[in-house]
Amino acid sequence: MNKSILIFVSLLSFTSLFCQESKKFDYELLGALVLDSNQLISYKIVFNSNDSGFIEGYSYTDLSGENETKSYIRGYYNPKNKEIQFKESDILYTKSTFLPDEFCFVSFKGRFKGNTKKKLLEGNFIGIYNDRDTCATGKVKLVSTKFVEKKIKKLYKKVEQIEKITKVDSIVKAEINPDTYLKKFSETKIKSGEKVSVFVYTDKMKMEIWDYGIEDGDIITILNNDVPILENFTVTKKKKTIIVHLNNEKNLLTVKTINSGKLKTNTTKLKLYDFRRQYEVIADLEEGKEATINVVRLKVKKEQK
């Protein structure tokens, strides 16, 4: 396979992290946080901007990594000079073991550059703890997801042309197929042995469960703090709704695959509802394996007078 194509595939594998919300956003950009220590962390933002320039949306850090985190972003965008600024706050979910007070939130100022189709965004950021101490500094470099999508499709066409001359590895070809590649990062997934923490403001949470893939006889059990709340349930396309009562101390939801069906992999989708927010998680588990959703109850902060 052509060396330049291999390099491009490697780059896309790091940067191509697509939207995790069914909601459509005016702006979707992806790329990396480039720390002054030369460390690269994958980064993505999605947001809408109103007539007054106020922006609101989400950031995704270290997607598909062990510290994958989703946070709110809010700020302002000036379409005349293309300047933008925003701050992260209020974590929605994370796979990190750090506590919320230990998180480093991005505060960014930058400007859109160049061709509007590429939607290049560059600028400086400061990482700030909740106590306002600085935890990191560096640059943000992002590009429009639509631009990356075009590049992936062009790359796939080149691979198809090469295959007419020489055999291309089927696994490599499947990995860069636009239909499957873009879907690869479309949801938050928890695999066998993983744990994701979500943050809620309620004591009673609605949960929907259904088969995200092909109905093939997946059977699961869900426990809350080791107590079964859904036992030996066969997952289908029809959504099953249950209410989960949460306590103040600990709420560990364990999803166990009892039978992974004919396809040998369980693809159960879970949707959790708080009165302020929603979470969608795919349990991508092997038979006999389990993953954990750590539901952390937050207290509504009172505004200081």
Side-chain angles (χ1 to χ4, degrees), residues 3-252:
K3 185 177 179 182
S4 61
I5 293 178
L6 281 172
I7 293 171
F8 190 48
V9 171
S10 298
L11 289 172
L12 290 177
S13 296
F14 172 71
T15 60
S16 191
L17 305 169
F18 283 79
C19 185
Q20 299 190 353
E21 296 286 325
S22 55
K23 179 181 178 181
K24 297 296 182 182
F25 290 91
D26 297 332
Y27 297 85
E28 296 184 19
L29 301 111
L30 56 92
L33 300 174
V34 185
L35 278 62
D36 288 340
S37 60
N38 292 325
Q39 182 183 0
L40 291 177
I41 301 174
S42 56
Y43 195 65
K44 179 181 173 220
I45 59 172
V46 295
F47 65 88
N48 287 323
S49 176
N50 64 19
D51 293 338
S52 62
F54 177 72
I55 68 171
E56 190 171 20
Y58 306 101
S59 68
Y60 303 85
T61 308
D62 193 31
L63 269 169
S64 295
E66 61 181 10
N67 294 309
E68 179 182 324
T69 302
K70 178 181 179 181
S71 304
Y72 279 113
I73 60 169
R74 295 177 179 86
Y76 293 93
Y77 171 53
N78 186 336
K80 292 182 179 179
N81 59 19
K82 298 183 180 180
E83 290 183 349
I84 181 174
Q85 57 180 309
F86 65 79
K87 291 182 179 180
E88 291 179 341
S89 64
D90 197 3
I91 301 166
L92 278 85
Y93 77 76
T94 184
K95 290 183 179 179
S96 173
T97 57
F98 290 109
L99 298 173
D101 289 341
E102 298 173 312
F103 271 88
C104 188
F105 291 102
V106 168
S107 177
F108 170 80
K109 288 184 180 181
R111 177 179 294 178
F112 283 103
K113 297 181 179 181
N115 191 317
T116 55
K117 292 181 180 179
K118 291 185 179 180
K119 276 285 193 300
L120 294 171
L121 177 61
E122 293 185 5
N124 298 317
F125 82 91
I126 298 174
I128 304 171
Y129 288 124
N130 272 337
D131 62 5
R132 300 186 184 279
D133 282 347
T134 299
C135 46
T137 56
K139 295 184 179 297
V140 174
K141 296 189 177 184
L142 305 173
V143 66
S144 167
T145 57
K146 290 182 180 179
F147 174 71
V148 176
E149 184 178 356
K150 282 185 177 181
K151 289 293 185 183
I152 293 172
K153 289 180 178 179
K154 284 183 180 180
L155 173 62
Y156 190 70
K157 286 181 179 179
K158 288 182 180 180
V159 170
E160 287 184 316
Q161 291 171 358
I162 291 172
E163 191 176 28
K164 293 177 182 178
I165 303 171
T166 181
K167 184 71 174 177
V168 176
D169 188 284
S170 60
I171 296 176
V172 173
K173 188 177 178 183
E175 281 291 316
I176 60 173
N177 184 313
D179 293 335
T180 56
Y181 188 85
L182 300 184
K183 188 178 179 181
K184 182 178 178 181
F185 298 102
S186 62
E187 255 60 13
T188 299
K189 290 187 178 182
I190 46 173
K191 297 183 179 180
S192 301
E194 283 192 331
K195 180 170 76 172
V196 60
S197 296
V198 300
F199 302 88
V200 302
Y201 289 90
T202 185
D203 61 356
K204 191 167 62 175
M205 182 179 69
K206 184 173 81 169
M207 179 190 292
E208 292 179 343
I209 305 105
W210 71 99
D211 197 326
Y212 180 66
I214 299 171
E215 283 189 19
D216 63 334
D218 291 339
I219 299 176
I220 65 167
T221 288
I222 301 177
L223 304 95
N224 184 14
N225 296 332
D226 297 324
V227 177
I229 56 176
L230 187 66
E231 201 164 7
N232 294 323
F233 175 72
T234 300
V235 186
T236 66
K237 292 290 185 184
K238 184 179 179 181
K239 293 181 179 180
K240 170 73 173 178
T241 301
I242 61 174
I243 301 299
V244 182
H245 295 274
L246 307 173
N247 61 50
N248 291 322
E249 301 300 324
K250 182 178 72 171
N251 298 280
L252 292 178

